[in-house]
Amino acid sequence: MRILLWHVHGSWTDAFVRGRHEYLLPVLPGGGPWGLGLAGRDWPDSVREVSLAGLDAGEVDTVVLQRPEEIEEVTACLGRRPGVDLPAVFLEHNTPKGNFPFTRHPLADQDSIPVVHVTHFNKLAWDTGWAPSLVVEHGIPDPGQLYTGELPELAVVVNEPVRRGRVTGTDLLPAFAAAAPVHVFGMKTEGLAAAAGFENARLRIRGDLKTRELHREMARCRVYVHPMRWTSLGLSLLEAMHLGMPVVALATTEATRAVPPEAGAVSTDVDELLRAARRLLANPEEARRRGVAAREAALARYSLGRFLDDWDTLLADLLPGDPGIERLEEQILVPAPERKNL
């Protein structure tokens, strides 16, 4: 199958393009959100950069939409409207913003394009009306059990912690830094110390590292901290669990489903999380044991193989005349009126 999708979410795309299909990524000379292409990623040869304007309409079998504006962009360039004469799904990466729990999804109350959420919490949180809505949970390539925990310190991965502030729990980091130095990995972490009130000696700004280096450096820290208040399930959390790291996480959004109690600590009580972090920092054997449990849980629920199989089933069911469409409807947990164009 030839699948058109934009490079919007690098970590999610990294898993998706490891399937058995051909993946067409729009590229523009200036890059940017509408033409990022490979962006230097070491992805399989089945991933091909294309000029959307110069792409023949017949070269595309299906499209994975990730922004509402892509519907008109595809229609204008290919002359085929997603959901009408081009099979399509809309992949929703994020938790709703604004008037939660009444936030309407941009594709609510239509029956031609299924909305696919990456977590069950997101499906629960978004109001999609009678639009077909289902979940394909994350899966990631297994980096291996790299955990050493040699540093009695904490690791956090967060992009843009200064701009996003309370959403990513930036304000909670100084409390954890009082327990141990905090290594902060991610994009646009400059200015974090001043924004969050850190003492510089307790903060290690590590920046946006390449994936292999990131995993190696994360795994040297004894505990992974997940302080996110209102984000979708961060792939960095799943990566930490795959690495064999014990996890201390806020019990928000999808974290309670992803992190079992034996993998560390999950709570909305920050003091409880701080106590757990201190205990794991002081007891490397317990930390290692809980890290093993975290890895087992991640492999069981968020394996790359399961993820790709789920997507293969979903995409095959979208093809015109495929009897598997009934299987797709069976996966949708909320009833909907008769679907005309699905």
Side-chain angles (χ1 to χ4, degrees):
M1 189 180 298
R2 293 162 298 186
I3 303 170
L4 175 67
L5 75 156
W6 271 267
H7 181 172
V8 173
H9 190 302
S11 295
W12 182 90
T13 309
D14 181 65
F16 185 69
V17 300
R18 296 176 187 275
R20 59 185 181 87
H21 307 288
E22 183 177 358
Y23 305 91
L24 310 179
L25 271 57
V27 64
L28 293 172
W34 289 93
L36 201 56
L38 288 165
R41 296 268 187 165
D42 183 21
W43 283 339
D45 293 339
S46 56
V47 184
R48 180 161 62 91
E49 292 184 331
V50 298
S51 167
L52 186 61
L55 192 64
D56 185 274
E59 292 185 67
V60 179
D61 296 314
T62 189
V63 58
V64 175
L65 305 162
Q66 298 168 82
R67 297 165 293 188
E69 300 83 359
E70 293 176 8
I71 296 173
E72 296 304 325
E73 187 72 11
V74 171
T75 303
C77 291
L78 299 185
R80 300 172 66 190
R81 186 163 184 83
V84 178
D85 49 16
L86 176 62
V89 297
F90 187 95
L91 174 63
E92 180 53 71
H93 291 284
N94 301 313
T95 50
K97 304 298 187 291
N99 189 28
F100 176 77
F102 305 104
T103 315
R104 295 281 287 174
H105 195 275
L107 271 71
D109 291 344
Q110 54 77 44
D111 59 4
S112 59
I113 302 176
V115 179
V116 181
H117 300 278
V118 296
T119 71
H120 288 276
F121 179 86
N122 288 6
K123 181 178 182 293
L124 177 70
W126 277 105
D127 178 6
T128 55
W130 47 262
S133 178
L134 63 155
V135 177
V136 176
E137 294 191 281
H138 284 302
I140 65 171
D142 180 15
Q145 188 165 356
L146 303 182
Y147 179 70
T148 66
E150 63 201 77
L151 302 176
E153 300 179 355
L154 307 172
V156 175
V157 179
V158 57
N159 291 325
E160 301 188 71
V162 176
R163 179 184 67 82
R164 298 167 74 192
R166 286 178 56 84
V167 170
T168 54
T170 302
D171 58 302
L172 303 178
L173 295 180
F176 285 98
V182 177
H183 295 243
V184 181
F185 304 89
M187 298 185 294
K188 298 183 180 180
T189 51
E190 303 83 3
L192 176 59
F198 268 105
E199 296 179 17
N200 287 334
R202 310 295 289 181
L203 177 66
R204 312 276 194 267
I205 294 293
R206 306 301 302 276
D208 186 21
L209 305 181
K210 295 292 186 181
T211 301
R212 289 182 182 178
E213 184 181 4
L214 170 65
H215 291 162
R216 184 176 65 249
E217 292 302 309
M218 285 172 59
R220 296 180 65 213
C221 298
R222 189 154 301 163
V223 181
Y224 185 80
V225 176
H226 187 68
M228 312 300 177
R229 276 193 179 90
W230 191 249
T231 67
S232 191
L233 184 62
L235 291 179
S236 57
L237 170 64
L238 302 184
E239 289 170 349
M241 294 172 68
H242 274 79
L243 291 168
M245 299 185 73
V247 172
V248 170
L250 279 183
T252 54
T253 65
E254 191 80 354
T256 54
R257 179 174 171 84
V259 183
E262 58 269 22
V266 185
S267 178
T268 54
D269 183 340
V270 176
D271 289 337
E272 182 180 343
L273 296 180
L274 290 170
R275 290 192 295 271
R278 292 189 180 99
R279 185 179 69 250
L280 294 170
L281 288 164
N283 295 276
E285 286 307 313
E286 180 185 354
R288 183 175 299 278
R289 183 174 69 254
R290 291 188 178 275
V292 169
R295 177 170 167 79
E296 290 175 350
L299 289 173
R301 173 160 287 156
Y302 301 106
S303 72
L304 181 64
R306 191 275 311 154
F307 170 78
L308 294 175
D309 286 348
D310 286 354
W311 270 103
D312 279 352
T313 299
L314 170 57
L315 292 170
D317 287 351
L318 290 175
L319 294 180
D322 192 303
I325 196 67
E326 295 179 1
R327 296 195 301 273
L328 172 59
E329 293 181 348
E330 288 172 359
Q331 295 177 58
I332 300 169
L333 302 182
V334 293
E338 182 181 355
R339 302 180 181 95
K340 299 176 182 178
N341 299 315
L342 183 61

